[in-house]
Amino acid sequence: MLTGAYNLRMTSKDPLPQSRHLATAIPGPKSTEAIKRRTDAVPAGLGMAIPVIIERAHDAILEDIDGNRIIDLGSGIGVVNVGNSAERVVNRVIDAVQAFTHTNFTTAPYMGYIEVCEALNRLTPGTHKKKTILQNSGAEAVENAIKIARHATKRPAVIVFEHAYHGRTNLTMALTAKNLPYKEGYGPFAPEIYRMPYPYSYRWLGNPATITEDALEMVIHKIEKEVGAHNVAAILIEPITGEGGFLVPPKGFLAGLQKFASENGAVFIADEVQTGFARTGNLFAVEAEGVVPDMIVTAKGIAGGLPLAAVTGRAEIMDSSHVGGLGGTYGGNPIACAAALGAIETIEEEKLVERAAHIGKVLGDFLRALASKYPVIGEVRGRGAMQAIELVKPGSKDPNPEAMQKVVKYCQSKGVLVLTAGTYGNVIRFLPPLVITDELLADALGVLEEGFASL
Ligand code: PLZ
C-alpha cells in the first residue's frame, strides 16, 4: 500500500532505470570535488571502495551525483538483498516514521519489535522453542550472543576460527582473525578467545579426501588439550566466511562442530550476518547442511538497509539472563523493525531464496568458464548469490592482490561495483542484490571479463 508521502516522493523524480550508464569518467567532476570534502572531514582510517558520491539507488543500480549509473554487485556489503530502496521497505519505513520514531523497547514496547522476533523465531532453523533479542549492528549482536552464552553456561572460553570476521568492537576484533587492517594497533584484546584451524580446501596441505575428519580431529584435539571442553561457552563460526573470502567449509565440518558442542554443553553459534536472508539460496546458509545452531546471529540483510541485528536462540539459553541484564538504547528501533518486516515480506513474496539460487547458477557458471580461460583465477567458490574468485600468480597458488586491484579498478571505471575480500587480499566477491535482472547481471559480467582480458 502506497502512502501519499511515498507517492509524492516517487513522482518527484523519474524512476531509476535498471541499466548501466556512464555520464562522465568515474569519478566525475562533482564526485571528485566532494571526495576532497570527505578527505577533509572524515578520518583517514575509513576506506573507500569506489570514489563516487551516491545520490540515489534502486534495486541493483546506484546513481552518483554526476549522473553515472553503476551496477551494484556488493549490496552495501550483503545488506540490500531485497534491492536498494525496496518498495515494501520504503513504504513501511515511511508509515513507521510518521507514527513514532523511538521509545526504547525496554522503556515502552511496541509491536514491530515483537513481530520481527516472532518472524525470526519462525524462520530460523529448528523447531525448538526460540527467543530473539534485537540490536543495531552485527558486531553488537555477536557480542550479545557471546555474553548470553557465557551467562547461560557459566563458562568463559569462546572457540573461533582462522579467516573469521565478526566485527570491529573490542570483543569482536578479538574474535576476528585478520590482523591488518582490523586489529593492528588496536589491542589489547578481550581474553578467553581460542582460534582453531579452518579447513580452507584450496590451500589445505593435507589429504583432500579426508579434510573434514582431519580438520575436526585437529580442532577437537586443540580444544580438549589447550582449552578444556568443559570451559567452552561457545563455538562461533560463519557458515561461509564473509570478509575471509567466501570459504565454504567441507561437507560435515559444521555438523561435526555442532555435535561436539552439544556433547560438551557448549553453545553452537552461527554468525549468519553476511550469509543470511536468502543470500546463499537458502534463507540461512546452515540449512544447506541440515545444521541447527543453538544460536544464530543475523544483521545486514535483515532490514533492507536500515541498521538492525538479532540474536535468535534456544529459549532456555536466551532466558538465562536476569531482568535488566540485556538491553541498549536503540536496539530494535521501530523504524528498523518496520524495514525488517518489509524486507522479510519481500523475500517471501518475491521468492528471493529461489532467485538467489538462480543468480548463483548464472554467476557460478560464468565464473567457472572465466577461470578456465584465465589462469590468474585460482578458484571459484561460494553458494547461491554469494560467489567469489581467488586470484593467484598463474601456475602457482601465490596470492595475486595486484591483479585483483587491476580488475576491480577496471570494473569501477566502467560502472560496475565489485567488492574484495580474503585473508591474502586477493579475492573478488560478488554479492548482487537478489532482485538484479538477468540482463543487468550479464552486462556486469561482460565488464568483468573485459577486466580480465585487460590484464
Ligand atoms: N559478522 C560475518 O560479515 C560485517 C564489515 C564491513 P557490523 N561485515 C562487513 C567493515 O569493513 O566493517 C560482519 C560480518 C560477519 C559480523 C559482522 C559485523 O557486522 O554490522 O558491521 O557490525
Side-chain angles (χ1 to χ4, degrees), residues 111-348:
M111 284 315 294
Y113 191 114
I114 299 167
E115 285 169 10
V116 172
C117 295
E118 287 172 346
L120 285 166
N121 296 341
R122 170 173 63 90
L123 295 169
T124 50
T127 53
H128 53 281
K129 173 75 182 158
K130 290 173 233 160
K131 293 206 175 179
T132 293
I133 179 172
L134 302 180
Q135 275 97 25
N136 300 289
S137 70
E140 192 189 6
V142 171
E143 288 238 3
N144 272 271
I146 300 300
K147 173 175 156 179
I148 295 167
R150 281 178 167 157
H151 191 275
T153 58
K154 302 185 175 62
R155 298 171 175 188
V158 178
I159 302 299
V160 291
F161 292 85
E162 294 171 348
H163 312 291
Y165 182 91
H166 299 291
R168 293 179 184 267
T169 60
N170 186 264
L171 175 63
T172 58
M173 275 193 290
L175 300 169
T176 292
K178 193 174 172 180
N179 180 47
L180 259 174
Y182 306 124
K183 300 166 80 164
E184 175 71 24
Y186 298 132
F189 301 110
E192 287 299 323
I193 313 287
Y194 300 92
R195 191 166 312 283
M196 298 295 147
Y198 183 93
Y200 188 157
S201 54
Y202 180 61
R203 296 185 178 279
W204 188 251
L205 297 176
N207 179 357
T210 55
I211 181 169
T212 301
E213 298 75 18
D214 295 348
L216 282 171
E217 193 182 320
M218 277 162 79
V219 169
I220 291 169
H221 176 82
K222 280 176 78 74
I223 294 176
E224 285 175 342
K225 296 300 162 207
E226 297 173 19
V227 188
H230 61 287
N231 291 318
V232 177
I235 299 179
L236 170 68
I237 192 164
E238 301 159 83
I240 296 174
T241 70
E243 306 307 304
F246 291 12
L247 305 176
V248 182
K251 219 168 171 38
F253 185 66
L254 295 178
L257 293 177
Q258 180 198 30
K259 181 164 174 283
F260 178 81
S262 77
E263 285 170 0
N264 290 278
V267 181
F268 184 68
I269 308 174
D271 178 344
E272 292 247 14
V273 168
Q274 195 157 152
T275 49
F277 288 96
R279 173 56 56 191
T280 61
N282 281 109
L283 201 48
F284 300 101
V286 286
E287 290 171 50
E289 301 210 37
V291 168
V292 177
D294 300 308
M295 265 189 202
I296 175 161
V297 182
T298 52
K300 292 188 187 283
I302 191 175
L306 274 83
L308 190 71
V311 181
T312 303
R314 290 185 185 278
E316 62 277 17
I317 298 173
M318 300 300 289
D319 273 337
S320 116
S321 283
H322 45 276
V323 175
L326 305 175
T329 302
Y330 291 115
N333 165 273
I335 316 304
C337 286
L341 294 172
I344 292 167
E345 188 181 73
T346 308
I347 290 170
E348 289 178 337

